[in-house]
Amino acid sequence: MKKDQTVTGWKMEFHKISLSILGITLYYTGMAQNTEHPNVIYVFPDQFRNHAMQFWNENPFQSHINFKADPVYTPNLNKFAKESVVLTSAQSNCPLSSPYRGMFLTGMYPDGSGVSLNCNNTRPISNLHADAVAISDVFSQKGYDCGYIGKLHVDYPTQNNPQAPGTYVEDRSTVWDAYTPQERRHGFSYWYSYGTFDVHKSPHYWDTEGNRHEIREWSPSHEADKAIEYIRTAKDKQKPFFLVVSMNPPHSPYQSLNDCEEQDYNLYKDKALNQLLIRPNVNPELKDKQKCAPYYFASVSGVDRAFGRILEELDRLGLSNNTIVVFSSDHGETMASHVEDPKNSPYAEAMNVPFLLRYPGKLNPQVNSLLLSTPDIMPTLLSLAGLKKDIPASVQGRDLSPFLKPNASLKKAPKGVLYIRNIDGDINTKGLVTNYFPVARGIKTDRYTLAITIDRKKQVKEILLFDDKNDPYQMKPLDPDLKANQKVLKSLKKEMRKLLRKANDPWYRDGIDKKI
Ligand code: CA
């Protein structure tokens, strides 16, 4: 037996069949499981901040960061990190559920993906463009089997309840949850998903055929079961697979054992709040939020366990060596640091997300300070999967795979990450949002964080500037009016304008960037 067969059990194999039926020629291009095109699994819990991983306090990771890890137990992530490329500075450009998901799926910034605001039924203008080319469209067209499990949250909810046509899938006054019909699934042929729903121990899902499943189990545990089931089935298909597992915890609420597993809560329940909330920027006024800490960290440990079970199954099935696995999140959680809003701000707790990528034999484990933007994920994954030439022209992110190679120089890597915050614009007489307002933009570099907020007349309202090197917990904002800070502010604005132009952002199109 040849070496490539003994190692992987697969051999590269292309089939091209052309059939002529009634004068129409049909082409079929099939692709068997092979080393050229690895499987890809993207696991992303919701609201999981980069700091909530235990290994940051250990070697070799500790020397690469300037913060202390949260006091969490994440044994599976600790082991996975030692086998992965671990990014210290991956950012969620628009740290909010739906906009992140639109960027991840299409490689475009929110204005391009169509998902500019969190999706609900008052916001018809925030809806994933049906004709956008998603990462799953490309994988599917290139012969991958594509599966989506968990929270989606990129659809404008309509009255398309498959169990009761003509009604919404929920009866709250503002409808958040949504059913995604087959024609809006962008190449995902396996479906076990929902829009958005936060009852963690009573989740529900619609399957490929649109049947609704009510589950009485903590959602990440159930989704790990479904992921394992999917991988077992996909292994037997003669093609590689792309699986997305989108867990909701550690999303709020985190208030009781209704929100997390008791075994995970027991790890934290006897610790005082000041032993759990160790960041010096915890806001003493946010007493109620502070009480969430043990439940938040319990959810983190529960997600770690669910993720570990998926990895174990890959090992058991002999798939680990030919599978790219990524662990990330849609944004972080301030958890009583700075402000009450857990996300949607430029603070590191909200913007800085985990990004661990394992590709055995191809990418050596390393810690890397690459500034990754969310739209970079699609082209980077496609490139790593051998589909570089298939990255659609619509993608605004960059293929950063060259910078993940061992000892790669970051000289030509991105110099900054765009920060985006949108809010509702005009509202019509029916209460529907007819456009969005780009209320804040900013940039995060290897040293600084800048966020500029404008008022409704598009005049500068607030400038927030931090030196993240000397002030890693962002407790001493630099005065933007002080002469000593002018030089850095000017250079950050210049770099930000470049990013705004590249993203074809409304601040660039409307000339707001020239007035700031
Ligand atoms: Ca979210």
Side-chain angles (χ1 to χ4, degrees), residues 29-41:
T29 305
M31 208 159 40
Q33 286 266 12
N34 60 69
T35 50
E36 190 99 336
H37 297 284
N39 308 309
V40 179
I41 302 182

Side-chain angles (χ1 to χ4, degrees), residues 46 56 75 124 182 201 271 278 316 320 372 389 460 508:
D46 192 307
W56 286 127
Q182 276 179 8
K201 284 189 170 170
K271 293 195 171 160
I278 55 155
R316 199 185 69 78
S320 294
L372 177 111
K389 64 175 175 39
V460 175
Y508 163 70

Side-chain angles (χ1 to χ4, degrees), residues 405-422:
K405 303 257 155 66
N407 304 316
S409 158
L410 295 186
K411 223 170 154 187
K412 291 188 176 167
K415 298 282 179 289
V417 166
L418 198 58
Y419 164 68
I420 295 171
R421 179 175 185 171
N422 297 324

Side-chain angles (χ1 to χ4, degrees), residues 368-371 398 400 402-403 407-416 446 495:
N368 189 316
S369 61
L370 185 65
L371 284 160
R398 271 178 77 182
L400 299 183
F403 305 109
N407 304 316
S409 158
L410 295 186
K411 223 170 154 187
K412 291 188 176 167
K415 298 282 179 289
D446 61 351
E495 204 58 40

